[in-house]
Amino acid sequence: MTMEFMDELGLSAFICGEYYPSIVSGAKTLLGQGAQHDCTSPIDGTKTARFQLATPEQLNAQTERACAAFKIWRNTPAPVRGQFVRRIGELARQYKTQLAQVITLEAGKILPEALGEVQEWIDVCDFAVGLSRQLHGLTIASERPGHRMMEQWHPLGPVAVISAYNFPMAVWSWNAMLGLVCGDTIVWKPSEKSPLCALAIQTIVNRALDEMPDVPKDIVSVIIGGGEIGKAMSQDQRYPLVSATGSTRMGKSVGEAVGARLGRSLLELGGNNAMIISEHADLDLALRAIVFAAVGTAGQRCTSLRRVIVHHSVKQALCEKLVQAYQSLRIGDPRSEHILVGPLIDEMSYATMQAALTDAKQQGGTVLIGGERVTEKVPEGGFYVTPSIVDIAANAAIVQQETFAPILYVMSYENIEQAIDIQNDVPQGLSSAIFTENLKEAELFLSPSGSDCGLANVNIGTSGAEIGGAFGGEKETGGGRESGSDAWKNYMRRSTNTINYGGELPLAQGIVFE
Ligand code: NAD
């Protein structure tokens, strides 16, 4: 399948016979030597690309090249590294529409959300460029006369990035743009469901590399492979940091492998996000936030709203408003204007959604709306569904798990402490929100006895975070933090330095050794 935006990005030029390459950096473009892998678009099931996946031997060779590039890049001044990232950001701006079209093609996101994802990459570039002049350490008072103490932050090494299909560009950019200004090199294994997005990114990076001949060509590369390539990266001690985004099942495997060699892992895993709707909430505001958070990206965001915990006195009113809003959702081809809900990623995702709805009903849940496959006025071959709302008890087993599809569980509570308990009583801890006009409730929710999630919001939804904050969550969400705030420290090593500028050699803690 060749499309104009693929030509404009230079993606079509990659095709060799029937195959796209599986290893690409600024220096090399190589076909994979592993199993054949066909990709399809969730829009209509048509074939988008054919690969031969990379083999562990090919990964090994690319890792070597990334190690060699690191030796040069680490000594490039950080503000100069920032100039390279700035150029990438400029090119991403220039090709924003085409890049978004690749996201829509491969991940099925509606175009406005896909454009938002590319914007996130552009925003991270801006942030990283500023950061390239602010990678600062502390100076610390020494207890010894004639001494000075300070911290420096140095580049860490090649970073392995493993990512999920649902944010096929933004997650890479959080890691790569920060990692690059920090002086690291990046080897990226994207989801095998969204490899064209990764190659599209590499076309942008390669353009920047062509314009800047002093930048080592292997500082950024893509390797298209399956879970076994991710596993091999996790086990490889040449990667001091493995940043992995995806399911909790995958994160446990990566965490174990990296932990066994005492490396660092940065894990961004599944969520089970909740919103508390108090009797003091502005229900109309809450309604808008719920609908975007629950059905945006067809419920396939890590921060998608899965649970509404609503005060019993307003539950019925809220459910009626929600059902009405869900009835007017426009479901269909994500490339068409005015569509709000695109397809699920594949048939497996549809089957998982159906199984969860069956379980929910068996556990006493009542489906208020949705859950059916849509076949009219949508492209044939895609898996389109009506987003579902299920009224269910807070202690039903099904609400403990993340089902990566648009199912919203609604449950009621009696008092705010109970609502917070219900919210926190799941294995995951990514995103949370409260809707209330009551200051005491809002502050309690944000306090040490409030939400236990990495993200806790007041009067806004659970999804759509800004890049300036640190992003990530607790418990089975993995504990990692990426993007803004001081997340850059993950990509550097800290060196504590004590300098003696006096003529004596006093020992710390007053020890006399003579
Ligand atoms: P997934 O876990 O199936 O795959 C993610 C990546 O891990 C893919 O690249 C895959 O090839 C790789 N992988 C699989 N097994 C591996 C192993 N044993 N070792 C190393 N790598 C392995 O996830 P998915 O279906 O692509 O994405 C959906 C999941 O990702 C959801 O659970 C969602 O919540 C989560 N997610 C989390 C965040 C976050 O920031 N917390 C962001 C996006 C998605």
Side-chain angles (χ1 to χ4, degrees), residues 136-340:
H136 57 274
L138 299 172
T139 56
I140 300 150
S142 170
E143 68 188 49
R144 290 175 276 191
H147 283 59
R148 185 167 74 78
M149 256 202 301
M150 67 174 184
E151 279 179 352
Q152 293 190 87
W153 291 88
H154 291 311
L156 189 61
V159 174
V161 178
I162 299 169
S163 65
Y165 77 82
N166 67 325
F167 272 95
M169 292 194 185
V171 166
W172 168 84
S173 73
W174 298 347
N175 287 284
M177 301 302 93
L178 263 60
L180 284 175
V181 296
C182 290
D184 301 336
T185 55
I186 309 293
V187 181
W188 178 25
K189 193 209 89 61
S191 165
E192 51 276 51
K193 292 177 186 169
S194 52
L196 289 178
C197 287
L199 294 189
I201 279 182
Q202 194 69 38
T203 65
I204 298 290
V205 171
N206 286 359
R207 278 185 171 89
L209 284 169
D210 285 345
E211 291 172 18
M212 302 174 89
D214 291 341
V215 176
K217 297 272 183 245
D218 275 299
I219 60 171
V220 183
S221 57
V222 167
I223 180 147
I224 312 293
E228 70 293 342
I229 289 292
K231 247 189 194 161
M233 290 171 125
S234 311
Q235 290 162 347
D236 191 330
Q237 61 186 11
R238 288 171 294 178
Y239 292 108
L241 172 66
V242 179
S243 174
T245 301
S247 58
T248 294
R249 176 192 50 75
M250 176 280 290
K252 285 184 176 168
S253 162
V254 170
E256 254 181 56
V258 179
R261 60 178 173 88
L262 302 182
R264 279 192 210 171
S265 52
L266 199 172
L267 300 176
E268 295 284 356
L269 312 174
N272 190 352
N273 316 299
M275 203 186 274
I276 295 173
I277 311 292
S278 136
E279 71 271 40
H280 308 295
D282 175 337
L283 279 195
D284 289 323
L285 201 66
L287 179 74
R288 281 162 51 202
I290 292 172
V291 175
F292 174 68
V295 312
T297 323
Q300 299 167 107
R301 284 185 181 223
C302 52
T303 50
S304 287
L305 182 62
R306 312 276 173 215
R307 299 176 294 142
V308 163
I309 304 161
V310 54
H311 192 264
H312 66 91
S313 65
V314 290
K315 183 177 168 204
Q316 196 178 340
L318 182 73
C319 285
E320 283 168 11
K321 281 173 190 276
L322 272 174
V323 168
Q324 208 182 355
Y326 270 47
Q327 278 163 348
S328 61
L329 290 172
R330 295 180 297 278
I331 301 161
D333 190 327
R335 295 167 297 193
S336 308
E337 250 184 284
H338 307 305
I339 289 296
L340 293 176

Side-chain angles (χ1 to χ4, degrees), residues 92-113:
R93 272 187 179 87
Q94 190 180 332
Y95 288 94
K96 182 174 172 182
T97 307
Q98 293 90 334
L99 289 161
Q101 284 169 304
V102 187
I103 295 178
T104 297
L105 176 75
E106 269 197 325
K109 276 188 196 190
I110 59 170
L111 205 53
E113 287 186 288

Side-chain angles (χ1 to χ4, degrees), residues 49 70 84 87 115 118 133 135 144-145 155 159 161 192 211 238 240 282 312 388 426 435 452 464 469 478 503:
F70 173 67
F84 176 59
R87 187 62 195 132
L115 286 164
V118 182
R133 291 182 183 271
L135 301 170
R144 290 175 276 191
V159 174
V161 178
E192 51 276 51
E211 291 172 18
R238 288 171 294 178
D282 175 337
H312 66 91
S388 183
V426 291
F435 271 74
D452 65 0

